[in-house]
Amino acid sequence: MKIHDLTIGELAERSGCTVPTIRFYEQIGLIPKAARSAGGRRVYSRQDVGLLNFIRRCRDFGFSVGQVRDLVALSTSRDRDCFEARNLAQFHLGSLRDKIAEMRELERSLKAFVRRCDVECAGGPAAECVILGDLATQRQDGAC
């Protein structure tokens, strides 16, 4: 092992990723296969720390593995346009806004459940709770 090579444990510590995550990213091709020492142990470079930091930041922002793969490819490309990164981020932003709207609707529904329970049945038998009754009622859009 060269003096600048890192073990998988050192890479995990420096990148903030877990060892299983690093192995998974390697397995799915998100990071290159590690070089091997004479003894067969994985060895990584300081560039791998930077790549994992980039990937971890992408994941922190909620990008999917596929989107991260695209962003990694864009990060090293001199032939592709930066608008591709912007478009990926814009698409992800739209998806995030949709999820936020869904979560706000869930919040309103749960708040209404709690209010109804406080007014109509608080302290009564659980089987008669309006929350449980509402949860058992089929949604109007027929979704599961």
Side-chain angles (χ1 to χ4, degrees):
M1 200 157 78
K2 297 179 204 157
I3 193 82
H4 64 277
D5 288 337
L6 303 171
T7 66
I8 195 168
E10 291 168 330
L11 180 63
E13 185 177 314
R14 291 182 187 199
S15 68
C17 293
T18 65
V19 169
T21 297
I22 294 169
R23 288 186 182 129
F24 173 69
Y25 288 165
E26 189 176 324
Q27 178 185 6
I28 64 171
L30 201 52
I31 63 172
K33 295 258 185 231
R36 297 288 179 157
S37 69
R41 296 182 68 190
R42 288 178 167 97
V43 290
Y44 299 90
S45 69
R46 300 200 189 286
Q47 288 80 17
D48 293 319
V49 175
L51 177 58
L52 278 170
N53 282 331
F54 179 82
I55 291 168
R56 186 177 40 78
R57 288 280 292 150
C58 290
R59 297 295 288 153
D60 287 348
F61 275 92
F63 286 102
S64 69
V65 170
Q67 289 170 322
V68 173
R69 187 182 313 279
D70 291 340
L71 291 166
V72 168
L74 285 168
S75 74
T76 59
S77 176
R78 297 273 179 220
D79 301 324
R80 295 171 69 185
D81 194 300
C82 75
F83 283 125
E84 290 185 59
R86 195 258 345 246
N87 292 344
L88 275 167
Q90 183 68 45
F91 177 80
H92 185 57
L93 178 60
S95 297
L96 182 62
R97 286 178 173 155
D98 291 344
K99 288 178 187 171
I100 290 170
E102 289 174 19
M103 294 301 290
R104 285 190 176 131
E105 183 56 37
L106 284 173
E107 178 187 31
R108 282 189 290 275
S109 295
L110 286 170
K111 191 175 178 181
F113 281 178
V114 170
R115 257 188 270 133
R116 280 194 62 215
C117 181
D118 285 342
V119 171
E120 297 178 30
C121 65
E128 295 174 18
C129 180
V130 294
I131 293 173
L132 301 175
D134 283 348
L135 290 172
T137 303
Q138 183 174 353
R139 290 175 39 174
Q140 290 178 343
D141 61 9
C144 289

